[in-house]
Amino acid sequence: MSFRLSPAWWPFLAVASPLIIPWLLIKNRQFQEDRERVVQMNQNRIDQAEPLEMPEINFLELAVVVEWKAKEGFISDAGVSYLFRTDLGSMLYDVGFGPTRPAFAHNLSKLGLDLDQMDSLTISHLHCDHMGGLPAQRCRKVTVPKDLLPGKEKACYLPDMAEAEGFKAQVIEKPQLLAAGIASSGPLARSLFMMGLTEEQALLARIKNKGLAVFTGCGHPTMEVVLKMAGRLSGEPLYAVGGGLHMPVTDGRGNRAGIKFQTFLGTGKPPWQKIDDKDLNRTIDAINAAGPKKVYLSGHDTCDYALDRMKRELKAETKVLQAGETYRI
Ligand SMILES: [Zn+2]
Ligand SMILES: [Zn+2]
């Protein structure tokens, strides 16, 4: 399938266009307004950010619970859930599609993990592939399978107002140290056409004798913005970057009913414009300019074409994350 929207939909669009076009125009006005506002918001946040006191950790280990690429025996899904372990504790970053799809519970158990072993939960942003499924996104409540809830309430660090079932929700408003020696970039925003203004927080850690590691969820605020913020928060050389970059250039993940959803949703562009090679070039240039030694790409919102280009063109040692794999960062 090479069309973003299967030709089977085109007659329907033609018939519905008197309704769809005015709706798109109204949406577009809000989207453009938010786009200007977001540029200013992010710039102010970066300008006002003070260097963060981050403890030096001896090691950072990443066990991938949910990803698009998966090791044999693990379930692949277009969501994200990463467990970070350091010598100071552990933190789960996102919960994929939570209870609505089998990957999160299956892969967690296959890795021999449960939520009781984790000190805290951080949610990158309030999208269904990170906070526990579509019902979770609709009612703004982070959701994990009920039978997996930890016995004791733990902190859940959120980038925006939301609840977290079975956790103590805490909204992070600016860059700060969270737990396990891991810090939040604080919310960074992006105007998304369908989903509106979206806040996302990246994770940062300072690894002894290596430098700074930065991980994103979907990467909506763009790597350029995340790396600018990281540079304000720490003077350490950048050692590793990883996570989602939202680069569905030739394809999307989780396509349904002839629609490549990721090429329309979450791109930071109106639906009639697509993510293209120029966007990918900017991301590659930003990462190369920042000069990390290692890059850990997420395939959950980036197509194989873009992953291959990045593997070839990034100067860092570049890997594509796989569910079921553990990485010593
Ligand atoms: Zn995502
Ligand atoms: Zn997203």
Side-chain angles (χ1 to χ4, degrees), residues 78-80 125 127 129-130 217-218 220 246 262 300-301:
V80 160
H125 66 301
H127 282 170
D129 51 330
H130 298 256
C218 260
H220 294 301
H246 208 91
Q262 288 185 341
H300 97 282
D301 60 357

Side-chain angles (χ1 to χ4, degrees), residues 2-153:
S2 56
F3 292 106
R4 297 164 73 210
L5 189 68
S6 157
W9 282 98
W10 298 359
F12 167 78
L13 284 188
V15 172
S17 59
L19 290 174
I20 293 174
I21 290 171
W23 177 78
L24 285 174
L25 291 174
I26 293 166
K27 273 286 223 199
N28 192 42
R29 195 182 311 151
Q30 184 65 51
F31 166 70
Q32 298 294 352
E33 276 174 26
D34 282 349
R35 193 140 83 160
E36 282 170 34
R37 195 153 64 94
V38 153
V39 170
Q40 202 52 55
M41 268 167 71
N42 287 342
Q43 194 55 54
N44 291 347
R45 287 164 169 174
I46 291 168
D47 290 345
Q48 285 159 17
E50 304 271 351
L52 266 186
E53 289 276 342
M54 274 189 278
E56 198 174 55
I57 53 176
N58 290 318
F59 72 90
L60 178 66
E61 199 178 79
L62 160 59
V64 178
V65 183
V66 179
E67 253 302 341
W68 181 255
K69 308 273 178 187
K71 265 173 73 171
E72 214 186 314
F74 289 83
I75 298 175
S76 139
D77 203 359
V80 160
S81 179
Y82 302 152
L83 174 66
F84 289 101
R85 289 196 200 91
T86 77
D87 47 312
L88 300 177
S90 61
M91 177 188 287
L92 187 67
Y93 188 45
D94 291 340
V95 295
F97 283 89
T100 66
R101 297 193 192 177
F104 180 67
H106 172 89
N107 294 353
L108 204 61
S109 126
K110 189 143 177 77
L111 278 161
L113 299 169
D114 62 56
L115 298 182
D116 272 308
Q117 301 165 13
M118 300 163 195
D119 300 331
S120 61
L121 170 63
T122 299
I123 298 296
S124 62
H125 66 301
L126 303 179
H127 282 170
C128 57
D129 51 330
H130 298 256
M131 68 182 293
L134 259 183
Q137 181 176 330
R138 278 199 206 105
C139 57
R140 288 175 87 88
K141 188 189 274 184
V142 175
T143 314
V144 298
K146 282 204 169 33
D147 55 333
L148 295 184
L149 276 175
K152 199 170 110 234
E153 241 187 23

Side-chain angles (χ1 to χ4, degrees), residues 176-191:
Q176 69 180 76
L177 187 63
L178 299 176
I182 299 171
S184 164
S185 64
L188 291 165
R190 186 87 184 271
S191 171

